[in-house]
Amino acid sequence: MNKIIALTKKELHGYFSSAIAYIILISMLSVFNIFFYMIISQNGEASLRDVFQAMEFMLVFFIPLLTMKVFSEEKSNGTMEFLLTAPLSYSMIVIGKYLSLLTFYSILIGMTTSYYLIIAYFGNPDPLSTFSGYLGIWLEGAFFIAIGLLVSSWTGNQIVAAMVSYIVLFFLYFANSFNQTVSGASEEFLLQLSTRTHLENFAVGIITPQDIVYYVMGTILCLILTRFSIDNRLWQ
Amino acid sequence: MLIADSICKNFASFQALDHVSFEIMKGDIVGFLGKNGAGKTTLMRILTSFLSASSGRVLIDGDDINKDSLAIRKKIGYLPETPPLYANMTVKHYLKFSAQIKDVAINRQRYQLDKVLEECQLQTVQQKIIGTLSKGYKQRVGIAQAIIHEPKLLILDEPSSGLDPIQIRHVLTLIKNQGEQRTVLLSTHTLSEIEQIAQRVLMIKSGRIVVDDSLHGLLTNTNTQPHQPRTLEQIFLSHHQEPGQQPHANKPATVEPLLAHE
């Protein structure tokens, strides 16, 4: 456990010792704030439901920027050799890196909790549906990060890692839009594959086991595949 | 200490290593020679478990690398050809991180950190950002991370590559001192370095070991040139001559010993 914490701290230090972390935090918060202001002033409701859905769309753009260099940079700098020849298991490397990204993401999402305080000042929002929405957006970010981590483990090129992550995330996000072109089991499959289907429930205050399983299992699957990718040096 | 038994490594249709076998005894400093592309780095990566062999077996201190890679990695210190450094970290922070992930006990981390800072003469730059250091200092930081967990076997891939003569002298002295405490396998293209610090020489050519002997035995072997002491350079060239090329057996060594005064 100490080694995982050491790796997580090293990663977080890496983000915050460069301008990238601050640029991402400030730009994402600015975009979230603009959407929050627009949606609340347009709807005139003390609810963050539509804000969560806007945040979900922004995550598709934001997460690949965060994850693209996680493994690709280690490979291009030669430090991957350092990690893989140290007495660290591959699972420790994957978990350490994943936790650092999740911490960074949690800080970002944590900063937006002020939205609830703002609408609570002007209205009477439902705290449970707000909690459910935040849980959904956090689970979705955790899933997207695991996808980005997996893609980053395939290549030594950050641009390639970002582009492939965009393709995967856009597909997952828009999967339910394709269901009109198919029917039967395929239609249901695409509907269930889409992240929008699952976040919609969280956003309106419905927490179902199916939605939680979707995010948790998706995240675990990606982390297992990342470990497999590292073990087999797939980028080589 | 280290037994390599018939190691082969294939990259698609290219055979990088062809049944490589050798043994290194505890406390040896072994110089590993070969042209670019001969298979040195590939072999070192297999010994450190960064790559897996296509076939063959590696035993380090009695442990099989295929069976317990994690235990073996605790016993090895490795400096790749490009020092694996995080440019945005300070020297101290990086070495502390190295100690943490290399299983140095928490109550010994401070001691080990101070020890390697002193051994590698890094005290004056310990608070500096690694990215701002000279190549010589970066190389020393690379060696410091390789020895911070007191490994039994130290594997160094061209540790003096690209350094100026003063920096090379520092690095060679450091490696020579390490040889008093642990087994060292060192690859280099500078033959005089091997002559100064190694006790044994391994030479690899096209993925095969062509020389495996003590340095003394190699230099005093008079079978081919009676009464004519040889240099490592002459031996190296004799193994790497193209057909039709003139032999260089009598060509004198041109590289001055860097540690002559030490």
Side-chain angles (χ1 to χ4, degrees):
Chain A
M1 193 62 195
N2 285 340
K3 289 195 254 187
I4 293 175
I5 293 170
L7 191 58
T8 303
K9 281 165 78 176
K10 189 276 289 181
E11 291 291 313
L12 283 170
H13 174 269
Y15 305 148
F16 286 104
S17 64
S18 73
I20 293 279
Y22 300 100
I23 291 170
I24 290 178
L25 271 179
I26 291 169
S27 55
M28 283 309 296
L29 274 178
S30 305
V31 173
F32 285 169
N33 290 347
I34 291 167
F35 275 106
F36 170 71
Y37 175 76
M38 285 168 59
I39 290 167
I40 295 298
S41 52
Q42 190 180 342
N43 291 355
E45 289 177 5
S47 164
L48 292 177
R49 186 190 62 228
D50 293 342
V51 177
F52 290 131
Q53 284 171 343
M55 283 166 80
E56 179 192 20
F57 185 58
M58 293 315 300
L59 290 184
V60 175
F61 292 94
F62 154 69
I63 297 290
L65 294 177
L66 191 62
T67 57
M68 65 182 187
K69 67 178 211 167
V70 179
F71 281 114
S72 347
E73 194 175 58
E74 298 270 10
K75 289 169 215 156
S76 54
N77 290 347
T79 44
M80 199 68 185
E81 211 164 338
F82 168 68
L83 292 179
L84 296 180
T85 57
L88 276 171
S89 69
Y90 302 135
S91 303
M92 283 178 183
I93 295 173
V94 173
I95 293 170
K97 284 183 171 285
Y98 180 71
L99 287 181
S100 68
L101 288 165
L102 197 59
T103 306
F104 183 88
Y105 173 69
S106 301
I107 291 170
L108 173 70
I109 293 301
M111 286 177 166
T112 67
T113 52
S114 56
Y115 298 162
Y116 176 75
L117 300 176
I118 293 169
I119 58 170
Y121 182 77
F122 293 106
N124 191 20
D126 176 12
L128 286 179
S129 65
T130 307
F131 169 78
S132 142
Y134 271 111
L135 177 64
I137 206 75
W138 187 80
L139 284 171
E140 181 151 324
F143 179 34
F144 282 1
I145 287 170
I147 293 171
L149 199 69
L150 172 62
V151 173
S152 179
S153 74
W154 292 337
T155 174
N157 186 314
Q158 294 187 32
I159 305 296
V160 172
M163 295 314 293
V164 176
S165 297
Y166 278 129
I167 291 168
V168 176
L169 296 189
F170 268 101
F171 176 74
L172 281 179
Y173 182 81
F174 286 110
N176 64 348
S177 306
F178 304 132
N179 68 347
Q180 291 153 358
T181 58
V182 292
S183 59
S186 304
E187 184 183 3
E188 182 58 24
F189 173 74
L190 286 175
L191 195 66
Q192 291 305 319
L193 188 66
S194 174
T195 55
R196 276 195 290 174
T197 307
H198 300 280
L199 192 81
E200 255 171 31
N201 291 335
F202 281 105
V204 295
I206 301 168
I207 301 176
T208 68
Q210 294 95 313
D211 296 326
I212 291 177
V213 166
Y214 170 82
Y215 287 124
V216 172
M217 293 310 288
T219 302
I220 291 172
L221 178 68
C222 289
L223 294 180
I224 291 171
L225 290 176
T226 307
R227 191 211 171 281
F228 176 80
S229 166
I230 302 294
D231 191 2
N232 291 281
R233 317 289 196 263
L234 289 187
W235 67 93
Q236 290 177 336
Chain B
M1 178 71 215
L2 189 160
I3 299 171
D5 181 16
S6 199
I7 299 172
C8 295
K9 179 67 184 176
N10 302 318
F11 294 105
S13 60
F14 173 70
Q15 185 163 31
L17 296 175
D18 183 7
H19 295 90
V20 170
S21 297
F22 60 90
E23 197 170 331
I24 296 177
M25 299 301 172
K26 194 175 177 184
D28 276 356
I29 299 183
V30 179
F32 193 28
L33 297 174
K35 289 202 298 186
N36 285 333
K40 299 190 299 293
T41 298
T42 302
L43 181 61
M44 288 183 153
R45 286 178 164 178
I46 289 171
L47 298 179
T48 55
S49 67
F50 180 67
L51 289 179
S52 55
S54 304
S55 65
R57 201 166 63 126
V58 178
L59 294 175
I60 292 176
D61 205 25
D63 291 329
D64 190 326
I65 207 163
N66 291 324
K67 289 180 182 160
D68 200 352
S69 153
L70 216 54
I72 283 194
R73 281 184 262 162
K74 287 181 191 172
K75 297 176 183 176
I76 295 177
Y78 176 45
L79 174 68
E81 191 175 348
T82 306
L85 308 173
Y86 294 102
N88 56 0
M89 278 182 162
T90 64
V91 172
K92 193 174 178 181
H93 187 187
Y94 171 70
L95 293 176
K96 189 178 169 194
F97 170 63
S98 301
Q100 287 169 334
I101 65 168
K102 292 185 177 190
D103 276 339
V104 177
I106 292 172
N107 58 0
R108 277 191 64 84
Q109 285 176 3
R110 182 72 183 268
Y111 170 78
Q112 285 300 120
L113 182 62
D114 289 342
K115 190 179 170 204
V116 294
L117 284 171
E118 189 184 338
E119 277 185 59
C120 301
Q121 297 175 25
L122 291 165
Q123 298 102 320
T124 54
V125 296
Q126 60 179 298
Q127 298 296 351
K128 287 199 172 176
I129 302 288
I130 291 173
T132 64
L133 297 177
S134 69
K135 195 165 177 10
Y137 271 119
K138 284 180 181 168
Q139 204 74 2
R140 277 193 256 170
V141 177
I143 294 175
Q145 66 77 24
I147 61 175
I148 197 160
H149 57 305
E150 301 276 3
K152 292 182 176 178
L153 173 65
L154 188 56
I155 297 178
L156 307 168
D157 194 356
E158 300 186 23
S160 59
S161 169
L163 301 184
D164 68 37
I166 304 292
Q167 291 169 333
I168 291 175
R169 181 192 294 231
H170 283 144
V171 167
L172 288 186
T173 307
L174 183 56
I175 295 168
K176 202 172 182 180
N177 293 339
Q178 289 304 312
E180 292 165 7
Q181 307 162 50
R182 48 187 63 96
T183 309
V184 179
L185 177 62
L186 153 86
S187 88
T188 178
H189 288 297
T190 314
L191 304 177
S192 62
E193 292 175 5
I194 300 282
E195 287 179 327
Q196 288 163 67
I197 62 173
Q199 294 136 7
R200 265 188 65 203
V201 175
L202 285 173
M203 197 180 294
I204 191 167
K205 183 185 176 186
S206 305
R208 284 170 173 251
I209 297 287
V210 291
V211 171
D212 181 1
D213 202 349
S214 71
L215 182 66
H216 180 74
L218 272 177
L219 299 182
T220 56
N221 183 344
T222 54
N223 288 344
T224 51
Q225 296 284 323
H227 314 299
Q228 178 69 55
R230 303 192 302 172
T231 65
L232 203 51
E233 187 183 8
Q234 289 165 342
I235 295 162
F236 183 85
L237 291 174
S238 72
H239 280 280
H240 289 87
Q241 271 165 6
E242 300 298 329
Q245 220 177 341
Q246 290 297 312
H248 294 266
N250 294 320
K251 185 181 173 186
T254 53
V255 187
E256 291 296 323
L258 288 160
L259 293 176
H261 305 293
E262 293 188 350

PDB file of all heavy atoms in Angstrom, chain A residues 50 71 81 91 95 103 146 176 180 190 199 215:
ATOM      1  N   ASP A  50     -29.813  19.490 -15.288  1.00  0.00           N
ATOM      2  CA  ASP A  50     -29.265  19.801 -16.617  1.00  0.00           C
ATOM      3  C   ASP A  50     -27.781  20.171 -16.541  1.00  0.00           C
ATOM      4  O   ASP A  50     -27.041  19.978 -17.512  1.00  0.00           O
ATOM      5  CB  ASP A  50     -30.062  20.941 -17.252  1.00  0.00           C
ATOM      6  CG  ASP A  50     -31.487  20.495 -17.576  1.00  0.00           C
ATOM      7  OD1 ASP A  50     -31.720  19.264 -17.627  1.00  0.00           O
ATOM      8  OD2 ASP A  50     -32.357  21.375 -17.768  1.00  0.00           O
ATOM      9  N   PHE A  71       0.761   7.203 -19.243  1.00  0.00           N
ATOM     10  CA  PHE A  71       1.760   6.185 -19.561  1.00  0.00           C
ATOM     11  C   PHE A  71       2.636   6.618 -20.742  1.00  0.00           C
ATOM     12  O   PHE A  71       3.810   6.281 -20.786  1.00  0.00           O
ATOM     13  CB  PHE A  71       1.088   4.851 -19.893  1.00  0.00           C
ATOM     14  CG  PHE A  71       0.654   4.090 -18.669  1.00  0.00           C
ATOM     15  CD1 PHE A  71      -0.682   3.864 -18.406  1.00  0.00           C
ATOM     16  CD2 PHE A  71       1.586   3.606 -17.766  1.00  0.00           C
ATOM     17  CE1 PHE A  71      -1.086   3.175 -17.277  1.00  0.00           C
ATOM     18  CE2 PHE A  71       1.198   2.917 -16.631  1.00  0.00           C
ATOM     19  CZ  PHE A  71      -0.151   2.697 -16.388  1.00  0.00           C
ATOM     20  N   GLU A  81      10.818   2.120 -17.977  1.00  0.00           N
ATOM     21  CA  GLU A  81      11.805   1.081 -17.692  1.00  0.00           C
ATOM     22  C   GLU A  81      12.140   1.096 -16.184  1.00  0.00           C
ATOM     23  O   GLU A  81      12.352   0.046 -15.582  1.00  0.00           O
ATOM     24  CB  GLU A  81      13.064   1.354 -18.518  1.00  0.00           C
ATOM     25  CG  GLU A  81      13.808   0.114 -18.922  1.00  0.00           C
ATOM     26  CD  GLU A  81      14.796   0.379 -20.040  1.00  0.00           C
ATOM     27  OE1 GLU A  81      14.641   1.373 -20.780  1.00  0.00           O
ATOM     28  OE2 GLU A  81      15.741  -0.411 -20.169  1.00  0.00           O
ATOM     29  N   SER A  91      -0.040  -4.268 -11.079  1.00  0.00           N
ATOM     30  CA  SER A  91      -1.297  -3.769 -10.508  1.00  0.00           C
ATOM     31  C   SER A  91      -1.046  -2.515  -9.682  1.00  0.00           C
ATOM     32  O   SER A  91      -1.825  -1.559  -9.730  1.00  0.00           O
ATOM     33  CB  SER A  91      -1.937  -4.827  -9.614  1.00  0.00           C
ATOM     34  OG  SER A  91      -2.152  -5.995 -10.357  1.00  0.00           O
ATOM     35  N   ILE A  95      -2.887   0.983 -10.334  1.00  0.00           N
ATOM     36  CA  ILE A  95      -3.733   1.562  -9.278  1.00  0.00           C
ATOM     37  C   ILE A  95      -3.167   2.905  -8.813  1.00  0.00           C
ATOM     38  O   ILE A  95      -3.904   3.876  -8.627  1.00  0.00           O
ATOM     39  CB  ILE A  95      -3.879   0.577  -8.090  1.00  0.00           C
ATOM     40  CG1 ILE A  95      -4.681  -0.644  -8.541  1.00  0.00           C
ATOM     41  CG2 ILE A  95      -4.569   1.240  -6.908  1.00  0.00           C
ATOM     42  CD1 ILE A  95      -4.691  -1.796  -7.548  1.00  0.00           C
ATOM     43  N   THR A 103      -7.996  11.390  -7.849  1.00  0.00           N
ATOM     44  CA  THR A 103      -7.875  12.456  -6.843  1.00  0.00           C
ATOM     45  C   THR A 103      -7.981  13.826  -7.513  1.00  0.00           C
ATOM     46  O   THR A 103      -8.704  14.714  -7.050  1.00  0.00           O
ATOM     47  CB  THR A 103      -6.513  12.343  -6.105  1.00  0.00           C
ATOM     48  OG1 THR A 103      -6.396  11.030  -5.578  1.00  0.00           O
ATOM     49  CG2 THR A 103      -6.400  13.359  -4.992  1.00  0.00           C
ATOM     50  N   ALA A 146     -10.486   5.613 -16.422  1.00  0.00           N
ATOM     51  CA  ALA A 146      -9.988   4.239 -16.623  1.00  0.00           C
ATOM     52  C   ALA A 146      -9.833   3.949 -18.121  1.00  0.00           C
ATOM     53  O   ALA A 146      -8.857   3.298 -18.535  1.00  0.00           O
ATOM     54  CB  ALA A 146     -10.933   3.232 -15.984  1.00  0.00           C
ATOM     55  N   ASN A 176     -26.318   5.868 -27.740  1.00  0.00           N
ATOM     56  CA  ASN A 176     -27.788   5.772 -27.760  1.00  0.00           C
ATOM     57  C   ASN A 176     -28.400   6.546 -28.932  1.00  0.00           C
ATOM     58  O   ASN A 176     -29.574   6.386 -29.240  1.00  0.00           O
ATOM     59  CB  ASN A 176     -28.399   6.206 -26.418  1.00  0.00           C
ATOM     60  CG  ASN A 176     -28.142   7.668 -26.124  1.00  0.00           C
ATOM     61  OD1 ASN A 176     -27.324   8.296 -26.795  1.00  0.00           O
ATOM     62  ND2 ASN A 176     -28.823   8.205 -25.125  1.00  0.00           N
ATOM     63  N   GLN A 180     -31.377   4.288 -33.320  1.00  0.00           N
ATOM     64  CA  GLN A 180     -32.484   4.421 -34.277  1.00  0.00           C
ATOM     65  C   GLN A 180     -32.186   3.674 -35.571  1.00  0.00           C
ATOM     66  O   GLN A 180     -33.080   3.372 -36.346  1.00  0.00           O
ATOM     67  CB  GLN A 180     -32.728   5.906 -34.587  1.00  0.00           C
ATOM     68  CG  GLN A 180     -33.284   6.629 -33.376  1.00  0.00           C
ATOM     69  CD  GLN A 180     -32.943   8.111 -33.364  1.00  0.00           C
ATOM     70  OE1 GLN A 180     -32.250   8.607 -34.245  1.00  0.00           O
ATOM     71  NE2 GLN A 180     -33.441   8.824 -32.368  1.00  0.00           N
ATOM     72  N   LEU A 190     -27.117  -0.836 -27.553  1.00  0.00           N
ATOM     73  CA  LEU A 190     -26.553   0.512 -27.724  1.00  0.00           C
ATOM     74  C   LEU A 190     -27.091   1.468 -26.659  1.00  0.00           C
ATOM     75  O   LEU A 190     -26.370   2.332 -26.169  1.00  0.00           O
ATOM     76  CB  LEU A 190     -26.866   1.035 -29.129  1.00  0.00           C
ATOM     77  CG  LEU A 190     -26.045   0.403 -30.253  1.00  0.00           C
ATOM     78  CD1 LEU A 190     -26.524   0.891 -31.619  1.00  0.00           C
ATOM     79  CD2 LEU A 190     -24.554   0.731 -30.093  1.00  0.00           C
ATOM     80  N   LEU A 199     -26.364   8.144 -16.865  1.00  0.00           N
ATOM     81  CA  LEU A 199     -26.260   9.376 -16.065  1.00  0.00           C
ATOM     82  C   LEU A 199     -27.621  10.048 -15.904  1.00  0.00           C
ATOM     83  O   LEU A 199     -27.864  10.708 -14.885  1.00  0.00           O
ATOM     84  CB  LEU A 199     -25.259  10.362 -16.681  1.00  0.00           C
ATOM     85  CG  LEU A 199     -24.950  11.495 -15.700  1.00  0.00           C
ATOM     86  CD1 LEU A 199     -23.916  11.047 -14.674  1.00  0.00           C
ATOM     87  CD2 LEU A 199     -24.535  12.755 -16.376  1.00  0.00           C
ATOM     88  N   TYR A 215     -20.963   1.489 -14.356  1.00  0.00           N
ATOM     89  CA  TYR A 215     -19.757   2.306 -14.171  1.00  0.00           C
ATOM     90  C   TYR A 215     -18.642   1.525 -13.465  1.00  0.00           C
ATOM     91  O   TYR A 215     -17.482   1.577 -13.879  1.00  0.00           O
ATOM     92  CB  TYR A 215     -20.091   3.569 -13.360  1.00  0.00           C
ATOM     93  CG  TYR A 215     -20.885   4.584 -14.143  1.00  0.00           C
ATOM     94  CD1 TYR A 215     -22.115   5.045 -13.681  1.00  0.00           C
ATOM     95  CD2 TYR A 215     -20.404   5.085 -15.344  1.00  0.00           C
ATOM     96  CE1 TYR A 215     -22.848   5.974 -14.399  1.00  0.00           C
ATOM     97  CE2 TYR A 215     -21.126   6.018 -16.076  1.00  0.00           C
ATOM     98  CZ  TYR A 215     -22.350   6.459 -15.600  1.00  0.00           C
ATOM     99  OH  TYR A 215     -23.062   7.379 -16.320  1.00  0.00           O
TER     100      TYR A 215
END
